[in-house]
Amino acid sequence: MEKFTELKSIPSYLSLQNIDTDMIIPKQFLKTIKRTGLGKSLFYEMRYDENGKINEDFILNKDPYKKSKILIAGKNFGCGSSREHAPWALLDFGITCVISSSFADIFYSNCFKNGILPIILDDEKIKELSEYTKRKEEISIDLNEEKIVFGNNETKFKVDSFKKKCLLEGLDDIALSLKKSDKIKNFEKNLKVKKPWIFND
């Protein structure tokens, strides 16, 4: 997982509330177990028409938003099923930060496990930041300082200290386990001495 420290981008804004994981990545794209290749199908039913043709009016199909790394969204983002393909699709598209006034719990947790920073702000700040989408101006995010800088202003946000550490150091669940590999090896070594029958073929 790539380390997340600072991010600067023109944000894209989806004002819709209750965007569920099926809207983020529809069920027909869940057959893969790979984290790559899902970006082209992100928000599939909004980005394409019934014939698979690109919807030119959808924000992520327009310049400069098709290159946005920051998505500002309506409340209760990521609700619905717990599919981890949703953050995979966002990340593969290039979005590494989602800002909303509220997130579904499982989606929120899955973001951190996949290198995406979900930021919770109040509705007034969401509205203020969304103006930078209209202006096509960059905003910047500093995870270490837990702040967003926009124009001559800045606002603070809060992140759980452990989740913050994982993002800053690029640690997913596998990497966290590998950091304890010495303890795991010692445990197995001691277990072989105490209960050797467990390891018999």
Side-chain angles (χ1 to χ4, degrees):
M1 192 170 83
E2 290 189 18
K3 296 179 180 179
F4 189 116
T5 51
E6 297 181 3
L7 178 64
K8 184 179 288 186
S9 175
I10 297 171
S12 53
Y13 179 47
L14 280 177
S15 60
L16 292 174
Q17 299 180 7
N18 304 312
I19 294 177
D20 64 26
T21 52
D22 191 54
M23 293 171 69
I24 297 171
I25 185 71
K27 59 184 179 299
Q28 63 265 34
F29 302 108
L30 304 186
K31 297 174 183 177
T32 181
I33 56 172
K34 295 181 180 179
R35 299 188 184 195
T36 57
L38 290 169
K40 63 182 180 294
S41 303
L42 178 70
F43 297 118
Y44 187 84
E45 292 176 359
M46 289 187 275
R47 287 177 61 206
Y48 303 92
D49 65 17
E50 56 192 21
N51 298 314
K53 185 178 178 182
I54 288 178
N55 174 10
E56 301 291 349
D57 293 327
F58 186 65
I59 189 165
L60 293 180
N61 289 334
K62 300 178 181 179
D63 285 321
Y65 312 112
K66 61 175 65 175
K67 295 181 180 179
S68 289
K69 297 178 181 178
I70 301 169
L71 175 64
I72 303 171
K75 68 180 181 180
N76 197 29
F77 188 84
C79 57
S81 66
S82 60
R83 64 190 66 169
E84 197 169 0
H85 293 70
W88 292 357
L90 288 163
L91 192 64
D92 192 59
F93 185 84
I95 293 170
T96 52
C97 177
V98 182
I99 303 172
S100 177
S101 58
S102 62
F103 293 90
D105 290 343
I106 295 175
F107 174 83
Y108 184 79
S109 178
N110 281 339
C111 281
F112 288 101
K113 293 179 180 181
N114 289 281
I116 296 174
L117 172 62
I119 296 175
I120 299 173
L121 295 177
D122 61 47
D123 289 328
E124 194 59 37
K125 286 297 180 185
I126 294 287
K127 184 178 179 182
E128 198 173 345
L129 285 175
S130 70
E131 289 297 314
Y132 285 79
T133 299
K134 297 176 185 177
R135 298 180 194 177
K136 299 181 180 179
E137 293 182 16
E138 289 184 331
I139 65 174
S140 61
I141 295 166
D142 187 326
L143 176 56
N144 199 47
E145 297 292 328
E146 296 183 18
K147 69 179 181 181
I148 303 173
V149 178
F150 50 103
N152 296 319
N153 304 301
E154 66 176 55
T155 188
K156 301 287 283 185
F157 60 89
K158 292 183 179 180
V159 182
D160 173 81
S161 58
F162 176 71
K163 288 181 170 66
K164 176 180 177 179
K165 173 184 170 67
C166 288
L167 280 181
L168 288 172
E169 297 182 16
L171 300 173
D172 58 13
D173 286 347
I174 294 173
L176 286 169
S177 297
L178 290 174
K179 284 175 74 74
K180 299 178 181 179
S181 59
D182 289 341
K183 290 183 178 180
I184 294 170
K185 288 177 182 177
N186 286 333
F187 173 81
E188 289 181 341
K189 184 179 179 181
N190 291 331
L191 192 63
K192 281 184 178 181
V193 173
K194 294 178 181 178
K195 299 180 180 181
W197 62 87
I198 294 176
F199 297 90
N200 290 337
D201 292 333

